[in-house]
Amino acid sequence: MDLDLTPDEARFQTDVRRWLRANVPARHGARGGPREELGEGRLAALKAWQRKLEAAGYVAIGWPREHGGRAATIMEQTILGEELARARAPALIGQMGLQMVGPTLIQWASEAQKCLHLPRIRSAEHVWCQGYSEPGAGSDLAALQTRAVRDGDHFVVTGRKIWTSNAQIADWMFCLVRTNPDAPKHHGISYLLIDMRSPGIEVRPLLQMTGDAGFNEVFFDGLRVPVENLVGPPDEGWKVANTTLAHERNMLGSTTQTQNLFDGLLRVARRARKGGRPASEDPLVRQRLADLKIRVESLRFLAYRNLTGALRAKQGGIETSIAKLATTELNHELAHTAIELLGMAGPLYRGSPHLEDGGLWPYQFMFSLGMIIGGGTTQIQKNIIAQRGLGLPRAG
């Protein structure tokens, strides 16, 4: 594979780096510190950041020009994601809209739906959440049971969703509902756009071990959704939902975040003490750091391999499962190692006057454990790799 950028790509990277150096808020470019809860002030700041990026032409760059994008290449989109992660820029509050809903609407939605939603997705005027998982339909999403019954010009929705990220702040939800219970499993499902301020919706926060409540349970009780909010054909929402797979983000951005985490671990090793000297000088610690660095670099080259496949329009296989498995487990181990090196101060979390790195490491330890579970557990990813990649038989 050729890892060199073309002259145009190199100029784009330089422009992005220059802009980020001048515009990333200082507190976000700083090292360390866990994420903040999404209070009103924090939410307003994140929306302002996305509007600033949009004004500079760095939001939805892969979208067609007629829908507010710049028809950027896969490589340009990858460069932007990597540079945002490298600069430790604030996360885009509208990421779910930009990466999932927007491309889906561009392909499937009516002109009225596009005109209403796409500009507001780009500007973060509307924040979106995903109504997919249910208590009995997580890994087996096609088993979902939330019902939507046609009643004149509306669907009446009854049921519940769970693990819904940012539902407590979302303006809209893209939701899979069962509109034909007699159809085969992957049919009879429709894709609805739901205004989260409609009567008949209750959002209950789910407290995480980090002390935050970013996940939620959402209850629908007689919720009335206009038929005009249906995206794609009725009962064929599974096809619409699968469109998002074609727009799945390249993993270089997350790989850069892992590299940032490893760099932070190195700083911990250099200032932590072991046997009266910096821990980084201890042979066993150095061996452990070397092993982790090898895994970080392996992940980076896996990302490049996946990127090469995307550039060549190669159909994806098990690469996503490998990347998800390797990244989440490595991030968890990086945080675990930092906590061990920091000794008694390592586990201290919010509220302690003796925090190290603002409580980053215990936060990452807990948050990354959740990521090992979310998006398909480690066990599920291993089964996918074993069966689809290695051709091993299903158990039992």
Side-chain angles (χ1 to χ4, degrees), residues 220-368:
F220 306 117
D221 184 9
L223 167 69
R224 297 183 68 83
V225 179
V227 171
E228 64 197 42
N229 288 12
L230 174 70
V231 178
D235 299 339
E236 295 299 328
W238 194 255
K239 294 179 181 178
V240 181
N242 281 337
T243 300
T244 58
L245 296 177
H247 303 280
E248 188 166 8
R249 202 174 179 194
N250 186 273
M251 62 174 284
L252 271 179
S254 62
T255 302
T256 305
Q257 291 168 353
T258 299
Q259 178 65 61
N260 289 342
L261 207 58
F262 178 80
D263 291 343
L265 172 60
L266 283 183
R267 292 191 291 271
V268 168
R270 288 167 182 151
R271 74 172 185 263
R273 311 300 292 182
K274 189 175 180 67
R277 58 180 177 174
S280 58
E281 297 179 8
D282 181 87
L284 293 179
V285 173
R286 291 176 67 86
Q287 182 176 340
R288 187 169 181 181
L289 293 174
D291 174 68
L292 292 171
K293 177 62 173 177
I294 289 169
R295 290 168 61 186
V296 170
E297 289 300 298
S298 298
L299 194 62
R300 182 166 68 92
F301 281 101
L302 174 62
Y304 283 129
R305 180 183 180 185
N306 293 344
L307 175 59
T308 300
L311 292 171
R312 295 175 180 172
K314 179 183 176 183
Q315 189 69 26
I318 61 169
E319 293 85 358
T320 301
S321 290
I322 295 173
K324 195 272 180 183
L325 176 66
T327 303
T328 54
E329 293 197 338
L330 177 56
N331 288 347
H332 188 61
E333 190 164 345
L334 290 170
H336 187 196
T337 302
I339 290 173
E340 287 187 346
L341 292 179
L342 289 170
M344 294 181 66
L348 296 179
Y349 195 41
R350 294 169 178 164
S352 171
H354 306 291
L355 288 182
E356 293 282 349
D357 293 333
L360 168 69
W361 299 109
Y363 175 88
Q364 282 292 345
F365 180 81
M366 293 182 286
F367 182 80
S368 58

Side-chain angles (χ1 to χ4, degrees), residues 19 30 61 76 117 144 181-182 194 198 318 363 396:
W19 190 90
I61 66 170
E76 288 171 331
H117 294 295
L144 65 90
D182 299 322
I194 296 175
S198 303
I318 61 169
Y363 175 88

Side-chain angles (χ1 to χ4, degrees), residues 24-41:
V24 170
R27 63 182 299 187
H28 287 281
R31 296 168 178 169
R35 299 183 182 185
E36 299 177 52
E37 282 226 67
L38 280 172
E40 289 187 11

